[in-house]
Amino acid sequence: MKPPGPESASSYEEALRAARDLAQDPDTVIPYPHHGLENARYGRGFAFLDTIRTDGGDTDGYILVTTTAYGGGLLSTVGRTIETAIAEHLARAEHSHRDIPDSELSPAHHVAIEAYDTGLARIDDLPGRASIDDATADYAEFVLINLRRGPDRGDTGRKVLARNDSLMPGPTAGRRYTQPCPRCEQPALFAARYPRAVCGDCITRATDRTGRRITGFNTDLSGGVIAYYTDTLEDSAGVGSQREECVEVTRTGACFIDGHPATIQEARFGGIVIEMASNDRSRRRWFRRPKKI
């Protein structure tokens, strides 16, 4: 996971504030009016020109602040114009809201969408599960897990799938996609390198040794792990969060799920993985009795 960033803007004034927050120098931000972007059906937003200062000198840049999760950020215009960047952004937004025909969906996709739209957490809970072969169910479980990980839980499964092109290919024969969570036995994404990785629901219950919930992030694009207390990430007051680091978990990588010892670490290719500690190791590490004198 990445640390929370600035919220998307719904008005020009909010967009301007967000652009100035993103800019290296707020005074260099110049509005770039664009009728198509500001009135788009999908991907609506606001554009700004900006100056990016580097060791090699200043270069022209731009900022897109959108009303959705598509696009945004401070980017260089090297190799393309701001008009090209806006056109690409709007094309991506339209693509992400397309209607997917049945012909593009595999049987596993149909099963996953049905489970998602019904509000189920796993394929095994579908009434017709007995008629689904294990390979199809495995891939459908994989798709369902990814659909449920998104923030747009109010949309239909088909709409969420449209925003996740990586899920569109059908299953690869012989490949395993899921594994049971070692804590709750709900389906989790298969990872041969992390056989005791927990499911997404269990990740949300990770705590420090006092029982206070924690959330892990990569420290930067190159990796690393930092743990924050989850309640300091929530913007309940509407004034922005004051993230408080859980230093012990960051330093040791030791956390708990439902009171059971687990570990949090950087995944091999980025992201965060939480694994349950093995039974033998956990007993020795966490419940070792003091020596008698």
Side-chain angles (χ1 to χ4, degrees), residues 10-179:
S10 59
S11 68
Y12 170 77
E13 290 74 18
E14 291 176 346
L16 180 59
R17 286 196 294 270
R20 287 172 172 166
D21 287 340
L22 289 167
Q24 293 175 331
D25 182 353
D27 293 333
T28 65
V29 173
I30 302 174
Y32 185 85
H34 192 284
H35 180 79
L37 175 64
E38 294 166 11
N39 295 277
R41 177 174 59 165
Y42 302 118
R44 174 179 173 268
F46 304 89
F48 303 87
L49 294 172
D50 190 30
T51 299
I52 301 176
R53 295 187 170 87
T54 68
D55 293 338
D58 293 350
T59 183
D60 292 333
Y62 66 90
I63 299 172
L64 295 184
V65 181
T66 68
T67 59
T68 68
Y70 306 101
L74 173 60
L75 302 169
S76 171
T77 58
V78 174
R80 63 176 179 171
T81 66
I82 188 172
E83 287 288 339
T84 301
I86 292 173
E88 292 174 351
H89 159 74
L90 293 176
R92 286 194 302 270
E94 284 285 341
H95 177 76
S96 296
H97 285 84
R98 71 193 187 281
D99 292 325
I100 304 176
D102 286 347
S103 59
E104 293 185 18
L105 300 176
S106 70
H109 286 114
H110 285 286
V111 171
I113 290 172
E114 179 185 355
Y116 181 87
D117 290 344
T118 310
L120 301 179
R122 58 181 184 177
I123 301 302
D124 280 351
D125 293 335
L126 278 173
R129 170 62 180 91
S131 64
I132 305 170
D133 65 84
D134 290 343
T136 298
D138 181 46
Y139 187 70
E141 206 77 80
F142 168 80
V143 175
L144 178 60
I145 290 172
N146 282 281
L147 293 180
R148 296 182 70 242
R149 291 170 72 179
D152 303 321
R153 297 299 297 274
D155 287 338
T156 65
R158 196 175 292 243
K159 288 184 177 180
V160 178
L161 188 62
R163 296 193 285 273
N164 292 271
D165 282 345
S166 63
L167 298 177
M168 286 303 298
T172 301
R175 177 181 169 184
R176 182 179 178 184
Y177 288 91
T178 66
Q179 62 190 31

Side-chain angles (χ1 to χ4, degrees), residues 217-261:
F217 297 97
N218 289 134
T219 54
D220 52 47
L221 293 177
S222 62
V225 176
I226 187 169
Y228 291 107
Y229 288 112
T230 306
D231 56 14
T232 69
L233 301 175
E234 298 169 350
D235 187 13
S236 57
V239 294
S241 60
Q242 297 294 323
R243 298 193 293 270
E244 179 184 349
E245 181 185 356
C246 178
V247 177
E248 180 182 5
V249 173
T250 298
R251 179 176 56 83
T252 66
C255 61
F256 294 82
I257 298 177
D258 303 330
H260 294 264

Side-chain angles (χ1 to χ4, degrees), residues 9 81 111 161 172 185 189 200 213 276 284:
T81 66
V111 171
L161 188 62
T172 301
E185 298 187 354
L189 298 179
R213 281 203 302 135
M276 299 304 300
R284 289 197 301 268

